[in-house]
């Protein structure tokens, strides 16, 4: 707070007294100050400050500072300097952003000069440096098309030393005026333009970029030759010295209309000779059409910059149809936004112009259609990936789906009537294309003012139009629904996806029959969607349905059936039926291997599915082995960046993390982020998932700080894409809050968590499962802030909302109970924790059966609550029960069992049941070692507990053995 | 100049990237400078500007609408610093010229009910008083800077400084009284 110096201490004291005295009446104030503040001067100061406030109380948010500005009368009234150096000043020619130009006269030899000085009042160091630099640049140029320098020096401006330089005085008119005044024909204009290019090229060859080419700087003299003035903001391109980069980054110099996009974006570092080529292109455009390609008003600099960097210039032939299309092509090539697409030099621009004049074929080619499409993408930088990906996805999905359906039906039905209908539908595909292109792409076109429209808005806007457009064709409508539903899923917008897929199903089923492959595919997509929504029961039910159907339709060894069987097995594991799920998954792999051979894609997928299951049940080592085998198999057959490979790599990263092989896990996670970014773009759902996985890896390995940026980015990206009040944004906001909490930034965490909660309430109303989850997050933050009461309030609220929404029989409700148990435990409220534990166990028993892993976990919690209440015997019994269930239901990966053993051990030690304690602790110890799980070894203080046990037993040699491991991670 | 770039910089800045902060400062400063220049170049007599209006114009130009409130607050924090610097530089440059032009006076007015009895003081004096306050309590001077130059609400200032709103409220009440007294004493 205070640095301890006398004055800051005094200030702090005055502040405290002032603040404490707020709201006291005059007498109370006097009494208060006399009592609290014996020091007269201090008291006087506080009183004075209070009276200032009374005289002018702060008037709330409408109080503003207002600065009055006196602008001097027109600056032209300033007296002219009489002399500058050895020149007599004749008149002020012009005044620009960085200097004034006078016309002057030299006596010997007698000639007129242009004298450039720095504006008074702007004599800051950077301007001076630039000014002096300008002289040096100009001295290197010697070309009839470039005004040459005579002298550089300093002069005394009313006592201030000011630098100046004198240059050749060019008597002429700006090129545009000259051309218009003499009504030159096209060939004459082009010849003049060629000369300008030559002069610019001369400068470029000497490493000088003009950076401010515009008609005002290009005068045509009495002989009809152009001369370029004012290389004032040039920089030498071959000099890497910092001083040459003397344009403050981001500061706009030059005149906007002629400015290249790279210059307009203020990146002084990237401006090179091609920026001048751009300016020359604009000049050419103007010389030929009499117009600038963009309407630019300098009043709104920002809007102008957007235009330059965003809008495409009209072809010249549109403005004036008499202009030759080759000339249009030349000018447009010169003003390409990407400089690589421009002429590489002014000389080559001149050469193409001259080729045109001599009727030779020009080098420039009009832009291709593909290029135009990529330009659309570039204009919408934030949207680029999502839009393009989204549009491509939607279009492809629709076209493929419709063609497949139509042709399948045509093939199936021999009757003419049905074929005619199928053909009508094939025709509808092209209508569909138009729909996508017109209604969807144009919705985001900047021309329609949709610059800030997001992909989601686009899809949302398209959906009602589906109903309108295809009111007469319900079949097409439902096909489109299912395709867009699939797109939503790709984007990670699962609820929207679920809604559309469900809406599409009845119609498709009615039209095609329940066993049609397209219907089954939609069902399959819905299953994946529910899986991602963690609706385990819903997805399992669908998986069962699909598996049964395929099995009936195609037989057990069919590829399609096996795929469904594998998915069903995964769903079983996810819903907690570990044993059955694992067995099914293994079986699927075996059958696939037998039916198709070890390298068949079906077998690879089965392998990947099984490893997924193993990561859930804890069989990490086996999972690792399988995924590596899978990757080795698919490496030859698939491209890098294949979605299956990427998800396998992501999975391997998670497994390695669980196995404690952190560096490799991290390398892999980063590689997946890079690949998904490269393949799908930075904003794609998969990329965001990969980033989320990397962030959680960093968080899990105690590097949450490094993850904060990623969480923030995910949150901001989805906010930018989907809006603040969107489920996905709010989800990431919640994740961000959780990260802030974990990294100890509790104030921020609370703020973000509260904002997320408010957002959820705003979006869903008070009573909603997501609101319950947001309450849970806030509760955890408050807990960390030691606000245990607050934490309890919000978690209790979460539970109450959950009871009203998802009900007391829902797995999520069981999860919340689990958290409540943990909170109560940490509050030391074991008595309250115990019944919640029992409710949780009862619920899990009901949901999953008595011999289920979740029940085992609940018994584990109950055991801890009992032990903490001193019921050691009962606690030990619950531990034992939990371990027994684990042994039954989790045949592989026994880490949960070892965890329970590790916790039961010290309880048994305390109870004096030493042999059991020893057995439990040693089994846990050996178990964790066999799993190569050093992290858990440390977490449960196993070494410490073994040491304690052996010391009690007086077996000090064994105690010493384990003592060596204490604190080892 | 590109809004997305500004947003990206804000994100990096929030992630603790110092280089991004520098770039933002530069960018915001240049923009405010340009806006102020346009106003100052208007010829003829005397007119007034509100720093907070300039700051919001800069915000719209550089970041645009639809920016989340946290990014906006961060932006405004940076803009407050820049705005103060722009005004200070103008005051000094014009003052040095001693030719009568430039901006001199600062008035604290209640825009909501403009009674015309705003408090007048010298811009440089305000700047110096703020410097002095910074020496006594960095945070109080920051609170004033954020309120005066970027129009942050109490809640936003609290968020920006990572303290409670109560703290900002007390700081603001006190610092405001302290400044007014300081400026009255300076004459």
């Amino acid at each position: 707070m205070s640095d301890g110096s006398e004055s800051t201490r005094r200030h702090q004291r005055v502040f405290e007294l002032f603040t404490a005295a707020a709201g006291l009446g005059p007498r109370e104030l006097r009494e208060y100050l006399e009592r609290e503040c014996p020091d007269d001067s201090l008291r006087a100061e506080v009183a004075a400050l209070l009276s200032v406030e009374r005289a002018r109380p702060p008037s709330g948010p409408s109080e503003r500072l207002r600065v009055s500005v006196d602008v001097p009368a027109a600056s032209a009234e300033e007296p002219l300097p009489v002399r500058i150096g050895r020149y007599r000043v004749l008149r002020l020619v012009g005044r620009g952003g960085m200097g004034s130009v006078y016309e002057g006269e030299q006596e010997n030899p007698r000639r007129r000069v242009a004298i450039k000085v720095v504006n008074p009042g702007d004599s800051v160091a950077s301007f001076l440096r630039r000014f002096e630099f300008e002289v040096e640049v100009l001295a290197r140029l010697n070309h009839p098309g470039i005004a040459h320098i005579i002298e550089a020096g300093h002069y005394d401006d009313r006592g201030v030393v000011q630098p100046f330089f004198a240059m050749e005085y060019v008597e002429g008119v700006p090129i545009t005026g000259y051309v218009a005044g003499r009504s030159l024909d096209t060939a004459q204009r082009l010849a003049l333009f060629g000369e300008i290019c030559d002069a610019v090229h001369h400068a470029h060859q000497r490493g000088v970029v003009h950076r401010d080419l515009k008609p005002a700087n290009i005068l045509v003299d009495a002989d009809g030759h152009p001369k370029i003035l004012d290389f004032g903001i040039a920089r030498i391109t071959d000099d890497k010295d910092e001083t040459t980069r003397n344009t403050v980054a981001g500061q706009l110099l030059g005149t906007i209309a002629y400015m290249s996009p790279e210059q307009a974006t203020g990146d002084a570092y990237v401006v090179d000779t091609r920026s001048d080529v751009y300016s020359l292109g604009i000049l050419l455009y103007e010389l030929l059409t009499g117009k600038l390609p963009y309407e630019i008003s300098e009043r709104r600099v920002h809007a102008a910059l957007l235009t330059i960097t965003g809008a495409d210039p009209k072809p010249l032939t549109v403005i004036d149809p008499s202009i030759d299309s080759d000339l249009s092509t030349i000018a447009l090539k010169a003003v390409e936004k990407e400089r690589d697409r421009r002429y590489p030099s002014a000389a080559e621009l001149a050469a193409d112009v001259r080729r045109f004049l001599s009727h030779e074929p020009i080098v420039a080619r009009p832009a291709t259609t593909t290029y135009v499409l990529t330009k659309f993408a570039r204009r919408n930088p934030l949207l680029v990936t999502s839009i393009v990906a989204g549009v491509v996805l939607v279009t492809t999905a629709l076209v493929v789906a419709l063609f497949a359906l139509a042709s399948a039906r045509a093939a199936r039905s021999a009757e003419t009537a049905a074929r005619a209908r199928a053909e009508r539908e094939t025709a509808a595909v092209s209508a569909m294309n138009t729909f996508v292109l017109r209604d969807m792409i144009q919705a985001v076109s900047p021309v329609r003012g949709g610059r800030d429209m997001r992909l989601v808005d686009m899809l949302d806007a398209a959906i009602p139009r589906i109903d309108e457009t295809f009111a007469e064709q319900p079949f097409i409508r439902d096909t489109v629904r299912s395709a867009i539903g699939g797109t939503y899923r790709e984007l990670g917008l699962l609820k929207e996806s679920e809604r559309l897929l469900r809406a599409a199903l009845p119609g498709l089923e009615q039209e095609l029959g329940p066993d049609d492959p397209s219907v089954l595919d939609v069902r399959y997509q819905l299953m994946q969607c529910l899986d991602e929504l963690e609706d385990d029961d819903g997805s399992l039910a669908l998986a069962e349905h699909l598996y049964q159907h395929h099995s009936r339709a195609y037989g057990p060894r069919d590829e399609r059936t096996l795929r469904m069987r594998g998915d069903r097995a995964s769903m079983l594991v996810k819903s907690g039926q570990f044993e059955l799920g694992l067995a099914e998954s293994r079986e699927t792999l075996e059958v696939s291997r037998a039916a198709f051979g070890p390298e068949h894609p079906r077998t690879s997928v089965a392998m990947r599915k099984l490893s997924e299951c193993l990561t859930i049940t804890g069989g990490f080592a086996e999972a690792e082995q399988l995924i590596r085998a899978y990757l080795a198999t698919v490496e030859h057959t698939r491209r890098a960046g294949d979605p299956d490979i990427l998800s396998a790599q992501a999975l391997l990263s998670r497994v390695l993390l669980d196995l404690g092989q952190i560096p490799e896990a991290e390398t892999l996670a980063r590689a997946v982020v890079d690949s998904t970014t490269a393949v799908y773009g930075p904003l794609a759902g998969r990329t965001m998932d990969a980033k989320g996985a990397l962030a959680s890896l960093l968080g899990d390995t105690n590097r949450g700080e490094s993850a904060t940026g990623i969480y923030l980015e995910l949150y901001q990206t989805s906010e930018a894409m989907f809006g603040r009040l969107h489920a996905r944004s709010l989800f990431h906001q919640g994740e961000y809050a959780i990260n802030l909490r974990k990294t100890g930034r509790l104030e921020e965490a609370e703020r973000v968590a509260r904002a997320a909660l408010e957002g959820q309430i705003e979006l869903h109303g008070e009573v909603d499962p997501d609101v319950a989850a947001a309450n849970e997050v806030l509760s955890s933050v408050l807990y960390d802030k030691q606000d245990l009461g607050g934490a309890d309030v919000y978690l209790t609220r979460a539970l109450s909302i959950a009871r009203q929404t998802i009900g007391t029989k829902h797995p999520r409700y069981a999860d919340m109970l689990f958290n409540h148990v943990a909170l109560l435990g940490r509050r030391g409220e074991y008595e309250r924790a115990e019944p919640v534990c029992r409710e949780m166990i009862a619920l899990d028993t009901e949901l999953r059966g008595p011999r289920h892993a979740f029940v085992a976990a609940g018994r584990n919690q109950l055991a801890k609550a009992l032990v903490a209440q001193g019921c050691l015997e009962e606690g030990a019994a619950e531990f034992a029960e939990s371990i027994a269930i684990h042994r039954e239901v989790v045949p592989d990966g026994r880490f949960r069992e070892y965890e329970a053993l590790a916790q039961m051990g010290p309880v048994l030690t305390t109870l004096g049941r030493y042999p059991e304690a020893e057995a439990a602790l040693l089994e846990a110890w050996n178990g964790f070692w066999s799993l190569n799980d050093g992290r858990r070894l440390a977490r449960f203080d196993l070494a410490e507990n073994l040491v304690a046990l052996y010391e009690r037993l007086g077996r000090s040699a064994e105690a010493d053995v384990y003592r060596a491991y204490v604190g080892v991670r | 100049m590109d809004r997305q770039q500004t947003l990206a910089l804000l994100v990096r800045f929030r992630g603790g990237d110092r280089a991004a902060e520098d770039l933002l400062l530069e960018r915001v400063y240049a923009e405010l400078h340009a806006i102020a220049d346009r106003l100052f170049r208007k010829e003829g007599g005397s007119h007034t500007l509100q720093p907070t209006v300039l700051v919001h114009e800069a915000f719209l130009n550089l970041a645009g609408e639809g920016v989340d409130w946290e990014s906006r607050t961060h932006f405004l924090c940076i803009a407050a610093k820049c705005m103060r610097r722009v005004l200070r530089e103008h005051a000094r440059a014009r003052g040095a010229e001693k030719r009568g032009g430039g901006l001199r006076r600062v008035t604290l007015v209640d825009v909501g009910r403009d009674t015309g009895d705003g408090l007048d003081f010298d811009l440089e004096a305000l700047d110096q008083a703020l410097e002095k306050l910074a020496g006594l309590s960095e945070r109080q001077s920051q609170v004033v800077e954020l309120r005066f130059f970027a129009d942050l609400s109490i809640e936003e200032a609290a968020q920006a400084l990572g303290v409670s709103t109560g703290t900002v409220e007390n700081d603001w009440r006190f610092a405001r009284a302290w400044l007014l007294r300081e400026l009255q004493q300076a004459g």
Side-chain angles (χ1 to χ4, degrees), chain A residues 715 724-727 729-731 733 751-766 768 770-771 774, chain B residues 69:
Chain A
Y715 161 48
R724 183 178 72 91
L725 285 183
H726 189 281
S729 307
L730 291 168
F731 167 78
Q733 194 175 21
R751 215 176 51 238
V752 178
R754 283 190 192 278
L757 177 58
E758 279 162 25
Q760 294 284 14
I761 292 173
E762 210 174 320
L763 181 64
H764 299 295
E766 288 279 351
D768 177 272
D770 286 335
V771 176
Chain B
W69 58 285

Side-chain angles (χ1 to χ4, degrees), chain A residues 1-3 5 7-9 11-12 14-16 18-23 44-46 48-50 52-53 55-76 78-79 96-97 119-122 158 248-252 263-266 298-303 305-306 309 381-382 452 705 708-709 712-713 715-716 719-720 724 733 736 740 745 747-748 751-752 755, chain B residues 1-5 7 10-11 14-15 23 26-27 30-31 38-53 57 60-62 66-71 87 93-94 97 99-115 117-119 121 123 126 133 135-137 139-140 147-149 151 158-159 162-164 167 170-181 184:
Chain A
M1 270 310 246
S2 153
D3 68 7
S5 84
S7 56
T8 54
R9 268 204 302 276
H11 184 84
Q12 180 63 23
V14 173
F15 167 65
E16 285 161 12
F18 177 92
T19 306
E45 189 168 350
V46 175
L49 288 170
L50 286 165
V52 166
E53 193 187 35
R56 275 200 88 79
S59 56
S62 56
E63 194 172 51
R64 298 275 198 284
L65 271 192
R66 187 178 275 185
V67 178
S68 46
V69 190
D70 298 318
V71 177
S75 28
E78 280 172 38
N119 270 345
D122 281 338
R158 287 159 289 193
V248 177
Q251 188 177 335
L252 295 176
Q263 202 176 355
T265 51
E298 291 201 34
R299 279 187 307 117
R300 299 288 306 162
V301 176
H302 182 64
L305 295 180
L306 277 181
T309 53
L382 177 72
D452 294 321
E705 287 80 7
T708 307
L712 180 61
E713 185 197 330
Y715 161 48
Q716 294 211 320
E719 193 175 276
R724 183 178 72 91
Q733 194 175 21
Y736 178 46
L740 289 170
R745 290 159 70 175
E747 294 292 338
E748 287 165 274
R751 215 176 51 238
V752 178
Chain B
M1 293 303 140
D2 182 289
R3 292 179 183 187
Q4 292 309 327
Q5 266 180 26
L7 291 180
L10 280 168
V11 172
R14 282 163 63 174
L23 285 169
E26 205 161 41
R27 187 170 276 208
E31 177 72 13
R38 274 206 303 283
L39 289 169
F40 296 151
R41 293 266 151 84
K42 276 194 212 155
E43 302 211 329
S46 163
H47 49 271
T48 60
L49 65 88
Q50 284 178 39
T52 56
V53 173
E57 191 183 340
L60 287 179
N61 286 348
L62 290 177
V67 176
D68 70 288
W69 58 285
E70 260 186 274
S71 290
L87 289 175
R94 300 294 171 173
E97 266 179 62
R99 265 183 291 167
L103 69 170
R104 282 286 171 69
R105 304 303 295 177
V106 180
T107 316
L108 187 61
V109 291
D110 185 344
V111 180
R113 42 187 166 93
D114 201 344
T115 46
D117 66 346
L119 276 188
F121 34 84
L123 182 61
L126 171 65
L133 180 59
L136 295 169
S137 165
R139 198 183 60 214
Q140 285 169 8
R147 303 265 304 150
F148 270 4
F149 295 101
D151 198 20
Q159 189 227 326
V163 296
S164 72
T167 305
N170 288 338
D171 276 348
W172 167 240
R173 268 191 60 225
F174 176 76
R176 186 181 168 282
W178 187 93
L179 266 180
L180 293 185
R181 178 156 177 269
Q184 280 166 1

Side-chain angles (χ1 to χ4, degrees), chain A residues 360-434:
Chain A
E360 293 166 42
I362 58 164
V363 170
R365 286 281 159 268
T368 62
T369 322
T370 341
Y371 179 62
V372 172
L373 273 177
T374 51
K375 281 207 289 199
F376 163 79
R378 200 202 42 237
R379 277 199 303 269
N380 299 275
L382 177 72
L383 298 174
V384 179
T385 10
S386 60
I387 288 288
V388 171
V391 168
V392 168
L393 222 61
V394 173
T395 322
T396 327
L398 289 175
V399 172
V400 168
L402 286 165
F403 265 123
L405 285 169
S407 58
R409 284 164 52 125
R412 260 207 315 276
S413 51
E415 313 113 74
T416 351
R419 185 170 301 157
R421 194 158 128 220
E423 274 161 12
R424 273 205 305 282
E425 271 157 15
T426 315
V429 173
S430 59
M432 195 57 235
N433 261 329
T434 318

Side-chain angles (χ1 to χ4, degrees), chain B residues 8-104:
Chain B
L9 285 174
L10 280 168
V11 172
R12 282 168 53 196
F13 168 55
R14 282 163 63 174
D17 181 341
R18 300 291 304 175
E21 184 179 4
D22 289 346
L23 285 169
L24 275 172
L25 275 169
E26 205 161 41
R27 187 170 276 208
V28 177
Y29 175 76
E31 177 72 13
L32 281 171
H33 208 289
I35 298 173
D37 270 352
R38 274 206 303 283
L39 289 169
F40 296 151
R41 293 266 151 84
K42 276 194 212 155
E43 302 211 329
S46 163
H47 49 271
T48 60
L49 65 88
Q50 284 178 39
T52 56
V53 173
L54 264 61
V55 162
H56 286 282
E57 191 183 340
F59 175 71
L60 287 179
N61 286 348
L62 290 177
E65 291 160 52
V67 176
D68 70 288
W69 58 285
E70 260 186 274
S71 290
R72 181 177 165 277
T73 308
H74 283 289
F75 182 97
L76 293 179
C77 278
I78 286 174
K81 278 198 193 74
C82 293
M83 191 66 241
R84 196 176 151 202
R85 199 173 117 203
V86 165
L87 289 175
R88 182 199 296 143
E89 280 170 11
H90 271 282
R92 287 189 186 152
R94 300 294 171 173
E97 266 179 62
K98 295 198 194 318
R99 265 183 291 167
L103 69 170
R104 282 286 171 69

